[in-house]
Amino acid sequence: MKFTIEKNVLLENLNNTIKAISNKNVIPILNGIKFELTNKGLELTGSDSELTIKTFIDKKEITNIEKEGVVIIQSKYILDIIRKMPSDLINFELVDNVRIKIYTDNNQYSLNCLDAKEYPNVKLEENKYPITINGDVLKSIINQTAFAISNQELRPLLTGLNIKITGDVLECIATDSYRLSKKTIKLNNPVENDINIVIPGRNIIELEKIITDDEIVEIHIFSNKILFKYKNLIFQSNLLSGTYPNTTNLIPTEFEIKSTVNLNTYFDAVDRASLLTQGKDKNIVIMKIENNNMTINSYASEIGKVEEKLVVNSSENASINISFSSKYMLDALKVFKSENVNILLNNDVKPIILKSEDDDSLIELILPIKTY
Amino acid sequence: MKFTIEKNVLLENLNNTIKAISNKNVIPILNGIKFELTNKGLELTGSDSELTIKTFIDKKEITNIEKEGVVIIQSKYILDIIRKMPSDLINFELVDNVRIKIYTDNNQYSLNCLDAKEYPNVKLEENKYPITINGDVLKSIINQTAFAISNQELRPLLTGLNIKITGDVLECIATDSYRLSKKTIKLNNPVENDINIVIPGRNIIELEKIITDDEIVEIHIFSNKILFKYKNLIFQSNLLSGTYPNTTNLIPTEFEIKSTVNLNTYFDAVDRASLLTQGKDKNIVIMKIENNNMTINSYASEIGKVEEKLVVNSSENASINISFSSKYMLDALKVFKSENVNILLNNDVKPIILKSEDDDSLIELILPIKTY
């Protein structure tokens, strides 16, 4: 294997494939990136066996292909090495099949390699009729929901993102059982068979980072895995097995109280109210609505207390006193883009629902906390 | 105590005084900032008993002084509280001598306070004829030396910065016994009695952060403490007791080999050469000079090796092979501002000296590491 490539071309692709490599990996060969050079171009593969990312750099983008070959390069230092190279053009040369020389005129790294024969053969499958979705739409629905994914391994399914498709309606749901985030979009084309899958949280968050624009993403779904195609990149993740809890009944549809608040004003008030309970487990704040007057309180016995007052726009005879985790509230508020947000309530033990004023497609649910 | 003040005025002064507060503090009252309001203005004091910082906000800068008073406010949340206040004007009011209300029209913090009577009375002394030095000069000499201060408590004196003044020559020295950094400047006026003191490293680094421009700094030195006056701020630190080791003999004055290198080129080459040994204890690189050819090598058995080549400008018959810590070399190179740096050597066990090409006032010393 011998070739010359531009620093930025390699860096961009390497940056994406390396996202598949987990630092919890126990299989040594999977700490490496597979470089496979043919006269068609250079294929880079990273995998932690549950997630595989492959990118292909076309020969047109490679300055010089002198000799084909395949090798596994340790991933630990490769990004830094390439990033710090003093020249825009970088040469690669495999020596004796055990060392890769990465060099420019005045400097040279010589890295121990692993044998490509030992690299697992990950099967990347495609459907005949994939689902298609714009990159920026996909990025946005991951952004608006994935933060609510649980990081508690106790309920493994909740550590994933639930995707449900019925006809041309796609629902994306995440919950850690204290809060829930749900986004609904319309697909360009309906699917024939209903889909209900759970993608591991870590993987979907890596996908979000890779998508940078509105180019079409192809989605190929199988019983135990999902494959995304985006530009010159293939991203394949396993699916979590089991049936995601049915969350439809958790979300109330009728409400006693509706208060419309300015998003930024409300965010800042909750943020300030939560200051004194920072670092505490639940950092609880208490929200009181009395017609168009809202107060947000919080109290930490050893430090002091805080009270925020807001003028809101409430439904008639609105009156409630409800406590919640300010962290969960701030997380949920961050994903709205509208000027105002509707806070929908029933009583102090029923879920708090947040919706954008003009758009029902995003629902944020936060369970109140009893304080007495 | 009751007053109204602009957010930015208070924030700037609080930011400085809070630097004196140590998170290792065991005396509860010293976790607070003392606010003392008189009809002349507001004095803020922070202290950890070894370092005291006091700033004075003149009445002209205070929007409204309604009632004088003094109180100790917990420092933990105060900066965040002030920073996040929704209005430019912030009101303070002491209630029952135990609670301070910090409020604007729509929000109010009520914080538990500590009794000002319990706050230690730190004596801030001044000399009749202080040493004066421009703020930017003082900032720069701290910057160029303090990084070499030891963080090993085993030799307490080395955890401080040594300041020696003889006549009108000030020497600033830091060493952790593996490297040494020395900067010499001329004072505007000579001192009568020689000075040789050691300022605790943590304190001098906080002072560096506080100084932001070229305004004159007054320096008042006593047998066991030092006081800096800068703008509306007084900064008093204890001194470390004991005699700092005499370092004069450690720095060679004659050299067998001199190589002049471009600062940035050399820095980048050492940086790249050190990549593979990152995270290792000493991250050693080997530098070889053969006339005008320099190579920098490094080797990590399990990963691979790296070689950098540079063309340098060496003294006649220069020939040496010397190993050193790349971290120490990079730290030292960072404080030079010249285009080229002279590397001065004798043999592979004698200190490596770095000097700027056109200025002898800064000397960086790095001990080589034996590798065989």
Side-chain angles (χ1 to χ4, degrees):
Chain A
M1 173 192 259
K2 191 174 179 188
F3 66 101
T4 305
I5 192 164
E6 265 180 54
K7 187 199 259 196
N8 289 337
V9 172
L10 182 60
L11 211 47
E12 191 192 327
N13 284 280
L14 213 46
N15 232 325
N16 282 335
T17 41
I18 218 163
K19 290 192 167 63
I21 291 169
S22 162
N23 48 19
K24 292 182 191 150
N25 217 331
V26 288
I27 308 168
I29 193 108
L30 291 186
N31 290 318
I33 301 264
K34 187 178 179 189
F35 280 64
E36 184 160 16
L37 183 72
T38 65
N39 57 17
K40 289 184 192 138
L42 175 66
E43 191 177 80
L44 302 176
T45 310
S47 179
D48 76 345
S49 78
E50 303 201 328
L51 168 64
T52 300
I53 302 176
K54 191 174 270 197
T55 67
F56 183 73
I57 306 172
D58 192 87
K59 65 174 187 296
K60 288 195 304 269
E61 290 199 86
I62 300 174
T63 314
N64 183 30
I65 299 178
E66 206 169 312
K67 193 178 169 202
E68 299 183 341
V70 53
V71 71
I72 314 298
I73 302 181
Q74 290 288 344
S75 65
K76 187 167 180 193
Y77 298 105
I78 190 72
L79 266 187
D80 269 346
I81 287 175
I82 302 301
R83 200 180 291 127
K84 291 188 172 182
M85 279 307 227
S87 144
D88 276 349
L89 284 182
I90 302 175
N91 306 296
F92 281 75
E93 185 178 352
L94 184 60
V95 183
D96 301 336
N97 229 23
V98 292
R99 275 200 318 281
I100 185 94
K101 268 170 48 181
I102 306 174
Y103 61 103
T104 66
D105 284 351
N106 291 316
N107 81 322
Q108 174 180 311
Y109 286 91
S110 175
L111 302 181
N112 305 338
C113 296
L114 300 166
D115 191 344
K117 287 193 205 83
E118 288 173 31
Y119 199 81
N121 187 15
V122 182
K123 208 174 158 195
L124 301 175
E125 274 182 290
E126 296 186 23
N127 281 327
K128 205 168 174 186
Y129 303 107
I131 297 162
T132 59
I133 186 166
N134 280 23
D136 51 356
V137 174
L138 182 58
K139 188 179 176 80
S140 157
I141 63 177
I142 299 171
N143 257 328
Q144 290 184 308
T145 53
F147 70 92
I149 291 174
S150 168
N151 49 22
Q152 302 292 321
E153 295 290 341
L154 264 176
R155 296 184 66 186
L157 274 172
L158 298 192
T159 65
L161 188 72
N162 180 212
I163 306 271
K164 287 205 285 195
I165 310 180
T166 313
D168 61 354
V169 176
L170 181 150
E171 277 180 7
C172 186
I173 298 155
T175 181
D176 61 5
S177 77
Y178 301 105
R179 55 173 165 182
L180 179 148
S181 190
K182 177 177 173 178
K183 173 80 180 178
T184 309
I185 61 161
K186 270 214 142 192
L187 294 174
N188 305 324
N189 298 299
V191 296
E192 273 186 26
N193 302 309
D194 287 1
I195 284 165
N196 189 349
I197 58 172
V198 187
I199 307 171
R202 131 147 160 90
N203 296 356
I204 203 73
I205 287 164
E206 294 300 344
L207 179 67
E208 190 277 330
K209 292 181 201 156
I210 288 169
I211 297 171
T212 52
D213 59 25
D214 64 353
E215 280 214 27
I216 287 289
V217 180
E218 281 184 16
I219 306 178
H220 303 257
I221 298 173
F222 301 89
S223 62
N224 62 347
K225 61 187 179 183
I226 185 165
L227 184 146
F228 298 85
K229 280 181 88 173
Y230 170 69
K231 298 184 181 181
N232 67 335
L233 180 140
I234 291 172
F235 180 106
Q236 181 176 280
S237 166
N238 69 325
L239 296 177
L240 297 180
S241 57
T243 309
Y244 200 79
N246 186 347
T247 56
T248 317
N249 302 331
L250 298 177
I251 305 168
T253 48
E254 291 187 358
F255 302 95
E256 300 278 330
I257 299 169
K258 174 179 147 185
S259 276
T260 306
V261 296
N262 176 282
L263 178 58
N264 290 336
T265 310
Y266 184 64
F267 183 95
D268 290 345
V270 174
D271 187 29
R272 278 192 301 269
S274 69
L275 244 181
L276 302 185
T277 52
Q278 252 176 20
K280 300 232 168 162
D281 196 20
K282 293 207 167 124
N283 48 358
I284 298 172
V285 298
I286 305 154
M287 177 172 75
K288 188 175 172 181
I289 300 173
E290 208 61 63
N291 296 313
N292 287 340
N293 295 313
M294 179 189 282
T295 59
I296 303 169
N297 285 280
S298 137
Y299 179 73
S301 56
E302 68 286 20
I303 305 164
K305 57 185 180 177
V306 49
E307 176 173 282
E308 296 282 333
K309 288 182 198 164
L310 284 87
V311 177
V312 301
N313 198 343
S314 299
S315 53
E316 233 173 288
N317 296 324
S319 174
I320 192 169
N321 221 323
I322 190 167
S323 303
F324 52 82
S325 150
S326 59
K327 183 190 175 307
Y328 284 1
M329 180 58 82
L330 294 175
D331 282 353
L333 291 171
K334 273 179 203 158
V335 302
F336 284 97
K337 281 151 198 152
S338 54
E339 195 185 336
N340 296 316
V341 167
N342 290 332
I343 304 174
L344 303 161
L345 304 155
N346 283 302
N347 59 43
D348 64 355
V349 294
K350 292 271 173 68
I352 302 163
I353 299 293
L354 302 177
K355 280 189 192 178
S356 167
E357 216 183 5
D358 42 9
D359 167 21
D360 261 10
S361 73
L362 178 65
I363 293 173
E364 298 293 340
L365 176 153
I366 296 162
L367 287 189
I369 296 168
K370 286 195 201 171
T371 51
Y372 43 123
Chain B
M1 172 190 257
K2 191 173 179 190
F3 66 101
T4 305
I5 192 165
E6 265 181 54
K7 186 200 261 199
N8 289 338
V9 171
L10 182 59
L11 212 46
E12 192 192 325
N13 284 279
L14 256 185
N15 232 325
N16 283 335
T17 40
I18 218 164
K19 290 191 167 66
I21 290 168
S22 163
N23 47 20
K24 292 183 192 150
N25 218 331
V26 287
I27 309 169
I29 192 108
L30 291 184
N31 290 318
I33 301 263
K34 186 179 179 190
F35 280 62
E36 184 161 14
L37 182 72
T38 64
N39 57 17
K40 291 185 190 138
L42 176 65
E43 190 178 78
L44 303 176
T45 309
S47 179
D48 77 345
S49 77
E50 302 202 328
L51 169 63
T52 300
I53 302 176
K54 190 174 271 197
T55 68
F56 182 75
I57 307 172
D58 192 88
K59 64 176 190 296
K60 290 195 303 270
E61 290 199 83
I62 300 174
T63 314
N64 183 31
I65 300 178
E66 206 169 313
K67 192 177 169 204
E68 299 184 343
V70 52
V71 70
I72 314 297
I73 302 181
Q74 290 288 344
S75 65
K76 188 167 179 193
Y77 299 105
I78 188 73
L79 266 186
D80 270 347
I81 287 175
I82 303 300
R83 200 181 290 125
K84 291 188 171 182
M85 279 308 228
S87 144
D88 275 348
L89 284 183
I90 302 174
N91 306 296
F92 282 74
E93 184 179 353
L94 184 60
V95 183
D96 300 336
N97 229 23
V98 292
R99 275 199 319 280
I100 184 97
K101 267 171 50 182
I102 306 173
Y103 62 103
T104 66
D105 283 352
N106 291 315
N107 81 322
Q108 174 180 312
Y109 286 92
S110 174
L111 303 181
N112 305 339
C113 296
L114 300 168
D115 191 344
K117 289 193 205 81
E118 286 172 34
Y119 199 81
N121 186 16
V122 182
K123 205 174 160 198
L124 300 175
E125 274 181 290
E126 296 186 24
N127 281 325
K128 202 166 176 189
Y129 302 107
I131 298 161
T132 59
I133 187 167
N134 279 23
D136 51 356
V137 174
L138 182 59
K139 188 178 176 80
S140 158
I141 64 177
I142 300 171
N143 256 328
Q144 289 184 309
T145 53
F147 70 91
I149 291 174
S150 168
N151 49 22
Q152 303 291 319
E153 295 290 340
L154 263 176
R155 295 184 65 186
L157 274 172
L158 299 191
T159 64
L161 188 72
N162 180 210
I163 306 272
K164 287 204 286 195
I165 310 181
T166 312
D168 63 352
V169 177
L170 181 150
E171 278 180 8
C172 185
I173 299 157
T175 180
D176 62 5
S177 77
Y178 300 106
R179 55 173 165 182
L180 179 147
S181 191
K182 178 177 172 179
K183 173 79 180 178
T184 308
I185 61 160
K186 270 214 144 193
L187 295 174
N188 305 324
N189 297 302
V191 295
E192 272 185 29
N193 302 310
D194 287 2
I195 284 165
N196 190 349
I197 56 172
V198 187
I199 307 171
R202 131 148 160 88
N203 296 356
I204 202 74
I205 288 164
E206 295 300 344
L207 179 67
E208 190 276 330
K209 291 181 201 155
I210 288 170
I211 297 171
T212 52
D213 60 26
D214 64 354
E215 280 214 27
I216 287 289
V217 180
E218 280 184 18
I219 307 178
H220 303 257
I221 299 174
F222 300 90
S223 61
N224 61 348
K225 62 185 179 182
I226 185 166
L227 183 146
F228 298 86
K229 280 181 88 172
Y230 170 69
K231 298 184 181 180
N232 68 336
L233 181 140
I234 292 173
F235 181 105
Q236 180 176 280
S237 166
N238 68 325
L239 296 176
L240 297 181
S241 58
T243 309
Y244 200 78
N246 186 347
T247 56
T248 317
N249 301 331
L250 299 177
I251 306 167
T253 49
E254 291 188 358
F255 302 95
E256 298 278 328
I257 298 169
K258 173 178 146 186
S259 276
T260 306
V261 297
N262 176 281
L263 178 60
N264 290 335
T265 310
Y266 184 65
F267 183 94
D268 289 347
V270 175
D271 186 31
R272 280 192 299 270
S274 69
L275 244 181
L276 303 185
T277 53
Q278 251 175 20
K280 300 232 168 162
D281 195 19
K282 293 210 166 123
N283 49 356
I284 298 172
V285 299
I286 305 155
M287 176 171 76
K288 189 174 171 180
I289 300 172
E290 208 62 64
N291 296 313
N292 287 339
N293 295 313
M294 179 190 282
T295 60
I296 302 169
N297 284 280
S298 138
Y299 179 73
S301 56
E302 67 285 19
I303 305 164
K305 57 186 180 179
V306 49
E307 177 173 284
E308 295 282 333
K309 287 182 198 166
L310 284 87
V311 176
V312 299
N313 198 344
S314 299
S315 53
E316 233 173 287
N317 297 323
S319 175
I320 193 169
N321 222 323
I322 190 167
S323 302
F324 53 82
S325 151
S326 58
K327 181 188 176 310
Y328 284 1
M329 180 58 83
L330 295 175
D331 281 352
L333 291 170
K334 273 178 201 156
V335 301
F336 285 98
K337 282 152 197 149
S338 54
E339 194 185 339
N340 296 316
V341 167
N342 290 333
I343 304 174
L344 302 161
L345 303 156
N346 282 302
N347 60 43
D348 64 354
V349 294
K350 292 269 174 69
I352 303 164
I353 299 293
L354 303 177
K355 281 189 191 177
S356 166
E357 217 182 3
D358 42 11
D359 168 19
D360 261 12
S361 73
L362 179 64
I363 294 174
E364 297 293 341
L365 176 154
I366 296 163
L367 286 190
I369 296 168
K370 285 196 202 175
T371 52
Y372 42 120

